[in-house]
Amino acid sequence: DAKTTQPTSMDCAEGRAANLPCNHSTISGNEYVYWYRQIHSQGPQYIIHGLKNNETNEMASLIITEDRKSSTLILPHATLRDTAVYYCIAYNTNAGKSTFGDGTTLTVKP
Amino acid sequence: GAVVSQHPSWVICKSGTSVKIECRSLDFQATTMFWYRQFPKQSLMLMATSNEGSKATYEQGVEKDKFLINHASLTLSTLTVTSAHPEDSSFYICSAPMAESTDTQYFGPGTRLTVL
């Protein structure tokens, strides 16, 4: 898997959009960008993934730059329950396994 | 919806004993499951890939004789920590692909192992 780089921590006000960046400058053409989050002492939870196009689901939006070297996860209206560690993974289908980086600790504040 | 369960949620054992952790896929079958370990304030580290009906594939640096993995059915994988020592105390998490045709993972809730 390509290496991903994320800020260590971020704060966000409740009700505002949370924009979490991820750099994956060495991503290859067949690697997907996956986002998971982990709330304290729980297993990770899938959020969203994409290859080239921007994606949106009920949880979040994923914006991938045209050169695919970076992406941004957007939580449109952050709540206190969105406080978690967010992991961005460049997933190689051929490798068949996920390598987690250090992630971003997002703290949503009232 | 489909989920992955783990049992037990937490376990405390004496040094030198063995501990078995179960990972079950509920409502779906998983020919492959993954085992991770997570130390406090650290990220998840992949330990091994569990393959139904065949041997597990271990990541570099993970002792296969210490961390025994058995994937005996399409819904159950077990991780046995043999001769556990305090340094094996950690949060163990399993995952399984949501479907055969996808790489998206369902993760279990994790098992907290404390070795005294």
Side-chain angles (χ1 to χ4, degrees):
Chain A
D1 297 350
K3 180 177 172 60
T4 61
T5 305
Q6 300 176 251
T8 301
S9 63
M10 293 181 64
D11 291 343
C12 177
E14 187 178 19
R16 305 299 292 269
N19 298 290
L20 291 89
C22 178
N23 286 322
H24 31 79
S25 58
T26 60
I27 196 170
S28 62
N30 63 347
E31 288 184 319
Y32 285 76
V33 179
Y34 270 80
W35 284 84
Y36 291 87
R37 72 180 182 185
Q38 185 179 25
I39 296 171
H40 183 62
S41 295
Q42 297 182 24
Q45 175 191 24
Y46 166 76
I47 301 173
I48 199 168
H49 75 283
L51 184 63
K52 297 180 181 178
N53 301 321
N54 298 336
E55 302 287 345
T56 296
N57 62 19
E58 64 278 3
M59 290 184 67
S61 294
L62 174 60
I63 308 298
I64 303 174
T65 58
E66 192 169 342
D67 62 9
R68 302 210 326 122
K69 292 185 177 182
S70 66
S71 61
T72 301
L73 178 74
I74 302 173
L75 306 179
H77 305 286
T79 69
L80 299 179
R81 287 179 295 181
D82 291 323
T83 292
V85 179
Y86 287 77
Y87 295 100
C88 168
I89 299 170
Y91 182 82
N92 187 324
T93 299
N94 293 332
K97 57 186 180 183
S98 299
T99 301
F100 283 76
D102 294 330
T104 295
T105 299
L106 174 69
T107 303
V108 181
K109 298 184 175 181
Chain B
V3 295
V4 172
S5 68
Q6 285 184 237
H7 177 80
S9 301
W10 57 270
V11 56
I12 301 173
C13 70
K14 293 182 178 180
S15 185
T17 62
S18 295
V19 175
K20 179 185 286 188
I21 302 170
E22 294 184 348
C23 176
R24 293 183 184 274
S25 58
L26 306 180
D27 300 324
F28 72 104
Q29 296 181 333
T31 56
T32 302
M33 292 183 176
F34 300 92
W35 286 98
Y36 296 83
R37 179 168 55 182
Q38 185 175 34
F39 293 109
K41 298 188 184 299
Q42 294 187 22
S43 186
L44 284 77
M45 184 192 78
L46 179 65
M47 299 176 66
T49 302
S50 174
N51 304 299
E52 189 271 333
S54 64
K55 292 182 179 180
T57 305
Y58 290 83
E59 295 300 302
Q60 190 173 7
V62 178
E63 300 175 59
K64 62 180 181 180
D65 295 330
K66 180 169 182 62
F67 299 100
L68 302 179
I69 292 173
N70 187 352
H71 196 148
S73 77
L74 289 172
T75 59
L76 173 64
S77 175
T78 60
L79 169 68
T80 301
V81 183
T82 63
S83 186
H85 291 286
E87 57 266 29
D88 298 322
S89 298
S90 188
F91 193 49
Y92 292 86
I93 306 169
C94 69
S95 74
M98 291 181 175
E100 287 293 333
S101 59
T102 182
D103 299 310
T104 305
Q105 301 286 321
Y106 282 121
F107 283 83
T111 296
R112 177 77 57 192
L113 170 64
T114 301
V115 184
L116 302 177

